[in-house]
Amino acid sequence: MQPNNLKRANITKWALSVTGIVVIGLVMIAATHWRTARLQYRLLATEPEAVADDPALVRFATQQARPLYAAHCAACHGADMHGNPTLGAPNLTDAVWLYGEGRIYDIERTVLYGVRSGLDKSHNETEMPSFGLRGILNEAQIRNVVQYVLQLSGRPYGAEAANEGRALYVGKANCGDCHGPDARGNSDYGAPDLTRNVWNSGGDPQALYTTIYFGQHRMMPAWGGTLTLEQIRALATYVYAVSHAR
């Protein structure tokens, strides 16, 4: 074979090889897009609680949700998802929930509509009144209620003050109207269980005093409209998976 012919043959082989690599690459990209689109469809089409039983969907949702969480949620709930007492943002890694029972549906609804976001379907059921600012309880009474809360949550407390605090809890302050007569809370209202020793805004005596004195009026934005339904489902699944990783 002449040198020029050999050179042209080598160029042709090289071109065919490059073309083959490009074609294979395009096929792989198309296949990846198809699989992603298929999983996105399945994630939304599957009933929320059935998603939790599908490992492939949970893995896919987790991959999709991690960057979304970092961009939209970590500023309040923390990069480690352990919450922020200064903001009253709850820990998302435990099994304690203000609203609902921690199912994917419950989490999804909260992400979609928010808490006190101004939407009709947001969690707006109740807020904790400012017992001190409104003059419902004086300083000594609030500190007695704090001692009772310490007793409820299994921590060291002053017995006499806690007895006074219990009387205020069931009487003047009427705390049981939201937290329940047994102080185990009400997830329909977003009233926390006071016996679990889990606190969104801090559980030391001074933090508890501040909470009772000033009350609570936390809010969470509604992410519907900012995030797609598939993204919200992915986030809800991710939070569910992290909180159930036992």
Side-chain angles (χ1 to χ4, degrees):
M1 182 179 291
Q2 297 297 320
N4 287 340
N5 291 337
L6 181 60
K7 184 176 181 180
R8 283 195 295 271
N10 288 336
I11 291 173
T12 299
K13 289 180 181 179
W14 176 84
L16 290 172
S17 297
V18 170
T19 301
I21 292 171
V22 170
V23 170
I24 291 172
L26 291 174
V27 170
M28 292 177 65
I29 290 171
T32 299
H33 281 303
W34 182 86
R35 285 195 297 270
T36 299
R38 179 62 180 168
L39 285 168
Q40 287 175 334
Y41 171 79
R42 285 182 54 206
L43 185 62
L44 273 180
T46 304
E47 288 293 325
E49 304 324 307
V51 171
D53 297 324
D54 190 323
L57 286 181
V58 173
R59 284 194 300 271
F60 173 74
T62 297
Q63 292 168 356
Q64 298 294 304
R66 279 176 176 155
L68 293 170
Y69 178 89
H72 301 288
C73 312
C76 290
H77 293 282
D80 60 1
M81 305 178 76
H82 285 165
N84 186 334
T86 302
L87 300 175
N91 183 345
L92 301 179
T93 68
D94 60 25
V96 180
W97 305 94
L98 277 179
Y99 296 98
E101 301 172 358
R103 301 171 300 172
I104 291 178
Y105 171 82
D106 298 323
I107 301 168
E108 182 175 85
R109 182 181 185 277
T110 300
V111 177
L112 184 61
Y113 299 114
V115 177
R116 301 187 184 93
S117 65
L119 297 181
D120 290 340
K121 293 185 179 181
S122 69
H123 293 301
N124 290 313
E125 289 84 355
T126 189
E127 63 179 349
M128 181 171 173
S130 51
F131 288 94
L133 283 179
R134 293 172 56 183
I136 300 171
L137 300 177
N138 61 36
E139 179 180 345
Q141 290 172 324
I142 292 174
R143 295 201 181 279
N144 288 339
V145 173
V146 167
Q147 291 303 308
Y148 179 54
V149 172
L150 292 174
Q151 179 186 13
L152 286 169
S153 56
R155 291 179 290 166
Y157 63 94
E160 184 176 349
N163 287 336
E164 295 290 337
R166 183 183 183 281
L168 291 164
Y169 179 95
V170 300
K172 187 176 182 180
N174 194 26
C175 307
D177 189 44
C178 289
H179 293 284
D182 58 359
R184 295 190 181 278
N186 188 325
S187 62
D188 292 332
Y189 293 161
D193 183 338
L194 302 180
T195 71
R196 298 288 294 269
N197 197 23
V198 174
W199 311 98
N200 293 335
S201 300
D204 62 90
Q206 186 55 46
L208 293 173
Y209 177 90
T210 300
T211 295
I212 297 170
Y213 187 93
F214 291 103
Q216 292 280 19
H217 188 75
R218 306 298 189 187
M219 66 85 63
M220 173 181 166
W223 291 102
T226 300
L227 300 177
T228 67
L229 292 178
E230 185 272 325
Q231 289 173 322
I232 290 173
R233 172 65 59 84
L235 276 170
T237 304
Y238 176 46
V239 172
Y240 174 89
V242 170
S243 65
H244 285 75
R246 300 288 183 265

